[in-house]
Amino acid sequence: DIVMTQSPLSLPVTPGEPASISCRSSQSLLHRDGHNYLDWYLQKPGQSPQLLIYLGSTRASGVPDRFSGSGSGTDFTLKITRVEAEDVGVYYCMQPLQTPNTFGQGTKLEIK
Amino acid sequence: EVQLVQSGVEVKKPGESLKISCKGSGYRFNSNWIAWVRQMPGKGLEWMAMIYPYDSDTRYSPSFQGQVTTSADKSITTAYLQWSSLKASDTAMYYCARRTCYDCAFDIWGQGTMVTVSS
């Protein structure tokens, strides 16, 4: 199985400040088609997960442009330019490249 | 509106069987994969299995192979996850999620079904 490792696991952020989450995979997620098969999800408190970013850097429909994804191969980053109160929750990276698909442990973002 | 609606809360005893459902609407159900994701209390997300309703092609995580079965009824655009003999360790929230291709992201999620197994 591909192991996904996120850091940090806890992320206290002041509103208006930037935030960054790292995700590393045990195998390359770069497909021969040129895409990186890495997705980011946010699970807000008491809600189902929602898709933020797919193929490493493409924002899902309706996702604010303060969210961005970058990286290639085995190292990926989710960045929030200016954190807002509604961004609290747990962020997960996931690889859809191989079954079983695997998630990172999750990063809990909280407001200071 | 594209949505997945899951069946309601379940409270069961160890050894009992269970089948939970996930009904898709607003899109071509047959031609999109449906996956199942487990979230144990206070824990992270785990991919369990997925099914392609058109031909019932299935994939299972080795961690869940033989423990659960996924199926689908195209005629009523519904996918299922079932257990033949529940354990206390099956207590969790179970989500279904849609993906539009085999290795696409999960763009639509159900609201989740909470399963509690306790004697």
Side-chain angles (χ1 to χ4, degrees):
Chain A
D1 298 2
I2 297 177
V3 177
M4 307 297 291
T5 304
Q6 289 182 229
S7 63
L9 300 185
S10 178
L11 184 57
V13 184
T14 300
E17 293 297 303
S20 179
I21 301 170
S22 171
C23 176
R24 291 184 173 170
S25 57
S26 62
Q27 299 176 36
S28 177
L29 303 182
L30 178 60
H31 192 272
R32 59 179 178 271
D33 65 7
H35 293 296
N36 283 283
Y37 282 72
L38 186 283
D39 307 319
W40 290 97
Y41 298 89
L42 165 60
Q43 187 174 31
K44 295 183 178 181
Q47 296 186 18
S48 303
Q50 60 187 84
L51 177 64
L52 292 176
I53 303 283
Y54 61 96
L55 294 177
S57 61
T58 303
R59 274 191 303 277
S61 176
V63 174
D65 60 8
R66 65 179 181 274
F67 290 92
S68 65
S70 63
S72 184
T74 61
D75 290 298
F76 299 89
T77 303
L78 176 70
K79 291 182 179 176
I80 310 173
T81 52
R82 293 174 303 280
V83 170
E84 298 185 5
E86 66 180 24
D87 299 336
V88 298
V90 181
Y91 291 78
Y92 295 93
C93 60
M94 190 203 81
Q95 64 81 16
L97 184 63
Q98 286 184 15
T99 58
N101 297 166
T102 43
F103 291 90
Q105 315 97 301
T107 295
K108 187 173 185 178
L109 186 149
E110 61 179 25
I111 298 296
K112 279 184 184 175
Chain B
E1 179 192 4
V2 176
Q3 60 179 350
L4 296 173
V5 178
Q6 297 186 232
S7 50
V9 173
E10 299 279 358
V11 180
K12 292 288 193 178
K13 291 182 170 27
E16 291 187 332
S17 62
L18 175 64
K19 192 173 190 178
I20 62 175
S21 66
C22 170
K23 182 172 175 60
S25 61
Y27 72 97
R28 293 183 66 177
F29 182 78
N30 287 1
S31 54
N32 290 259
W33 291 83
I34 293 288
W36 292 94
V37 175
R38 183 175 79 173
Q39 187 168 40
M40 299 178 78
K43 302 298 185 182
L45 304 173
E46 301 172 90
W47 184 91
M48 302 173 68
M50 65 181 185
I51 186 165
Y52 191 64
Y54 176 77
D55 58 5
S56 290
D57 187 11
T58 56
R59 300 285 187 276
Y60 290 92
S61 166
S63 299
F64 293 94
Q65 180 87 48
Q67 307 306 307
V68 297
T69 302
T70 187
S71 59
D73 186 335
K74 293 182 292 188
S75 67
I76 55 172
T77 65
T78 300
Y80 301 97
L81 184 67
Q82 66 182 76
W83 295 256
S84 58
S85 181
L86 287 160
K87 310 180 194 66
S89 57
D90 293 317
T91 295
M93 180 73 86
Y94 293 89
Y95 294 101
C96 62
R98 182 191 83 157
R99 65 189 347 164
T100 55
C101 68
Y102 183 83
D103 45 17
C104 289
F106 299 127
D107 62 344
I108 303 294
W109 292 70
Q111 83 276 22
T113 295
M114 184 66 209
V115 175
T116 301
V117 183
S118 174
S119 54

